Amino acid sequence: MKRNLFLFLGAIIIGTVMSAGYHWANAQDYPKGNWLSPQLFISEQITPKHFGYIAQRVEAETVIDLRPDGEAPDQPSSADIRAEATLASMSFHYIPVPQGPIPEEAVTRLGAVLSNAKGPVLLYCRSGARAARTWALAEASRSGGADPETIAKMVRNVGFPIDDLKNNIIARVAARPKN
């Protein structure tokens, strides 16, 4: 009787450890990211194999790629990501933002895409930093958008620096059309 109990408990422990190990090992297959808002998930580089996760966990209906093609040799192309998004019935937008200063055209285009996006949005670049920072400038430019302190807090909450954009964000908020 005791032997059967030990075998039973041992099987439970081994199964639990193996299951946890399996989940942990496969966690590497998920892109790292965070919810900036209930409708916007900021992510590091995604690959075609991530679309099952994106569909089930993020429930994204729109994918926005801010990473310029060819930035790294192992990076999937925007065309490859577009193809996967299309297969998953998600809309896809390619708005390349180079490293360094964020181009005004990218801020404007991102703002337009976000204002028309349906459902949750996955916004990505190499690490997520450009995605969060470009969003911050687009949000600061949006009529009715968040105030500068809230924008900065949201970006910091997903783990990215924003202090160097503080004056730009304040100026954009001040320049918003008055209702």
Side-chain angles (χ1 to χ4, degrees):
M1 178 84 166
K2 280 187 177 181
R3 183 172 187 257
N4 287 344
L5 180 61
F6 285 127
L7 286 174
F8 175 73
L9 291 174
I12 289 175
I13 292 169
I14 290 170
T16 302
V17 168
M18 289 180 71
S19 174
Y22 176 79
H23 178 71
W24 178 82
N26 288 316
Q28 299 169 35
D29 292 339
Y30 305 142
K32 292 182 180 106
N34 288 299
W35 288 99
L36 188 87
S37 74
Q39 292 292 306
L40 183 60
F41 189 81
I42 301 291
S43 176
E44 67 180 4
Q45 175 71 55
I46 62 172
T47 67
K49 72 179 181 180
H50 291 139
F51 273 84
Y53 172 83
I54 293 166
Q56 290 181 339
R57 298 292 175 109
V58 178
E59 299 180 357
E61 293 184 34
T62 302
V63 174
I64 305 171
D65 176 359
L66 296 187
R67 189 171 189 195
D69 282 337
E71 221 177 36
D74 62 342
Q75 166 190 349
S77 71
S78 59
D80 291 342
I81 300 298
R82 178 186 299 277
E84 288 297 320
T86 300
L87 284 173
S89 300
M90 297 174 192
S91 64
F92 176 85
H93 303 272
Y94 178 57
I95 307 171
V97 175
Q99 293 183 12
I102 299 168
E104 185 59 35
E105 178 186 350
V107 174
T108 302
R109 286 182 58 204
L110 179 60
V113 169
L114 290 173
S115 70
N116 293 311
K118 304 281 190 264
V121 173
L122 181 134
L123 177 62
Y124 78 92
C125 61
R126 184 188 63 78
S127 67
R130 275 178 282 179
R133 292 164 58 80
T134 305
W135 169 84
L137 296 176
E139 179 66 10
S141 303
R142 184 175 68 85
S143 179
D147 62 81
E149 294 79 23
T150 301
I151 292 169
K153 182 178 179 184
M154 291 171 75
V155 171
R156 279 191 215 99
N157 283 345
V158 295
F160 299 108
I162 193 74
D163 291 341
D164 61 312
L165 295 179
K166 180 180 179 180
N167 291 338
N168 192 333
I169 290 169
I170 290 170
R172 287 171 184 270
V173 169
R176 288 177 183 161
K178 306 295 184 239
N179 292 343

